[in-house]
Amino acid sequence: MSLYKRSHICIEKHAERRVRETQRERKMRSNQVRLNCGITMPVIGLGTYSFQNDRKTTELAVHMALKMGYRHFDTAKIYGSEPALGNALTEAMHDGKVEREDIFVTSKLWGSDHHDPVAGLKQTLKNMGMEYLDMYLVHWPVKLKPWACNPIPDEDEFEPLDLETTWSGMQKCLDLGFCRCIGVSNFSTKKIEQLLDFASVPPAVNQVEMHPLWRQRKLRDFCRDHNIHVSAYSPLGGPGNSWGSTLVVNNPIIRAIANKRKATPAQVALRWGLSKGSSMIVKSFSPERIKENFGAIDLKLDGQDFMEIDKLEERKIMRGEFLVNETTSPYKTIQDLWDDEI
Ligand SMILES: NC(=O)c1ccc[n+]([C@@H]2O[C@H](COP(=O)([O-])OP(=O)(O)OC[C@H]3O[C@@H](n4cnc5c(N)ncnc54)[C@H](OP(=O)(O)O)[C@@H]3O)[C@@H](O)[C@H]2O)c1
């Protein structure tokens, strides 16, 4: 082959690669939501909660997800996955695979840090080896003693919730530039309403359980009216988690829709949530399922599919029993915790 022809083929291949890259970049940009704090967030995020909490497995999953197009990552101090996530992202940035501006990182304030959210966030940043987070969320409307460090608090570790002081600390995190946005998680409409009464900065996000069996209609309507984005955790119902369930991925209607659409039940569940305008925080550490879940973006459901899902009996899976007790918790019953929105 002549040198001319060879270099011509090389140029063509390069051009094809650029077109493919540009298409991928455009697609990535379009799969974003704009938040009330002015920044955008990719609609599919990789969750990193795992009971085993194996650092190497988490790092490999994050690298795999980056390769497959994920740019949004979710962690929390209480998951123990901050170091692994931070390390994998730092490595990827160091290797030039991704820029800091192109990724979106969320972590969460645990109950024991309500006393001092700035100190809590500083510890998170140290754990992750990062200078700032994109999103910092109040993990639960629950305040604990400063030494409480277990996911399931002891009865003597609860304190009365003082949301005004906690939120003022969250706003300080923002002022100091340690995060670009602040939000909440596991908040009912009633608690958000209370928060909005005194907040100088409204929450940008409420991250809650949401999937075809827990559709969050009331909360989504309320949040839409107040320009607060609803982000879905456990969008597959958390199969494999100690508290999770296979009810969503094994649901006969979800499975039938998946069959009809030549998709998987997980993709149907995720596409349903995306179609409601929510972002999906989905955890998988398996390469096949990381890819499968991202594929939900390309799935199309029709009106009939949505109608069938709307008829499914609702069932909340993460009920938060571990935050309820009759003596020390401000929540004496599950209904108290969710303000009867359960
Ligand atoms: N704010 C909060 O209070 C809160 C609460 C819970 C969770 N979260 C966040 O949300 C993330 C996701 O929630 P989650 O982990 O509870 O539940 P999830 O994403 O609904 O489900 C994760 C489970 O499903 C499996 N899985 C993943 N993809 C699958 C697929 N395509 N088909 C079948 N099974 C699949 C995973 O196993 P493999 O890894 O083996 O694939 C894992 O066991 C968490 O990791 C965490 O970051 C936040």
Side-chain angles (χ1 to χ4, degrees), residues 74 79 185-186 207 234 236 239 241 283-284 289 292-293:
D74 183 86
Y79 301 165
S185 175
N186 296 301
Q207 189 187 103
S234 306
L236 311 179
N241 286 340
K283 178 262 173 183
S284 178
R289 290 190 286 272
E292 173 188 329
N293 296 341

Side-chain angles (χ1 to χ4, degrees), residues 35-38 135-137 167 170-171 174 180-184 192 195-206 223 226-229:
L35 304 174
N36 67 14
C37 53
M135 178 67 69
Y136 197 40
L137 304 177
W167 195 249
M170 295 293 283
Q171 291 176 163
L174 201 56
R180 298 168 78 206
C181 264
I182 50 176
V184 294
I192 295 189
L195 175 58
L196 291 175
D197 270 351
F198 52 75
S200 317
V201 179
V205 160
N206 186 16
C223 286
H226 292 82
N227 196 17
I228 297 167
H229 175 76

Side-chain angles (χ1 to χ4, degrees), residues 152-170:
I152 301 183
D154 289 339
E155 203 159 325
D156 60 359
E157 289 177 336
F158 288 86
E159 287 194 11
L161 179 68
D162 173 5
L163 201 48
E164 197 162 349
T165 309
T166 301
W167 195 249
S168 144
M170 295 293 283

Side-chain angles (χ1 to χ4, degrees), residues 111-291:
S112 50
D113 289 324
H114 278 227
H115 302 264
D116 190 350
V118 172
L121 179 48
K122 276 187 177 167
Q123 181 60 53
T124 279
L125 293 175
K126 197 169 167 207
N127 293 344
M128 302 190 76
M130 298 195 126
E131 285 176 9
Y132 67 92
L133 290 182
D134 298 279
M135 178 67 69
Y136 197 40
L137 304 177
V138 177
H139 203 151
W140 286 89
V142 171
K143 184 176 183 178
L144 300 170
K145 301 277 187 215
W147 54 86
C149 56
N150 289 321
I152 301 183
D154 289 339
E155 203 159 325
D156 60 359
E157 289 177 336
F158 288 86
E159 287 194 11
L161 179 68
D162 173 5
L163 201 48
E164 197 162 349
T165 309
T166 301
W167 195 249
S168 144
M170 295 293 283
Q171 291 176 163
K172 201 155 175 213
C173 293
L174 201 56
D175 289 344
L176 291 167
F178 293 145
C179 56
R180 298 168 78 206
C181 264
I182 50 176
V184 294
S185 175
N186 296 301
F187 271 47
S188 62
T189 56
K190 188 171 171 195
K191 288 198 180 66
I192 295 189
E193 231 169 348
Q194 288 165 353
L195 175 58
L196 291 175
D197 270 351
F198 52 75
S200 317
V201 179
V205 160
N206 186 16
Q207 189 187 103
V208 291
E209 176 183 343
M210 176 179 156
H211 45 69
L213 300 187
W214 192 248
R215 297 188 282 280
Q216 297 279 20
R217 184 63 198 257
K218 179 178 172 188
L219 185 78
R220 283 190 284 116
D221 286 350
F222 176 86
C223 286
R224 188 201 51 228
D225 293 347
H226 292 82
N227 196 17
I228 297 167
H229 175 76
V230 175
S231 191
Y233 75 66
S234 306
L236 311 179
N241 286 340
S242 55
W243 51 267
S245 154
T246 52
L247 279 173
V248 175
V249 284
N250 282 343
N251 182 279
I253 298 291
I254 303 287
R255 293 189 83 88
I257 296 173
N259 266 340
K260 187 172 68 176
R261 301 276 163 216
K262 299 201 173 15
T264 66
Q267 288 174 331
V268 171
L270 293 168
R271 182 70 250 177
W272 171 84
L274 292 172
S275 303
K276 300 292 173 194
S278 290
S279 49
M280 301 289 113
I281 310 298
V282 59
K283 178 262 173 183
S284 178
F285 287 176
S286 125
E288 296 77 30
R289 290 190 286 272
I290 290 174
K291 187 167 181 209

Side-chain angles (χ1 to χ4, degrees), residues 296-313:
I297 287 178
D298 296 321
L299 179 64
K300 288 202 171 33
L301 300 178
D302 68 12
Q304 180 68 30
D305 301 332
F306 287 112
M307 251 164 52
E308 285 179 27
I309 291 176
D310 266 346
K311 282 192 268 179
L312 296 174
E313 194 182 330

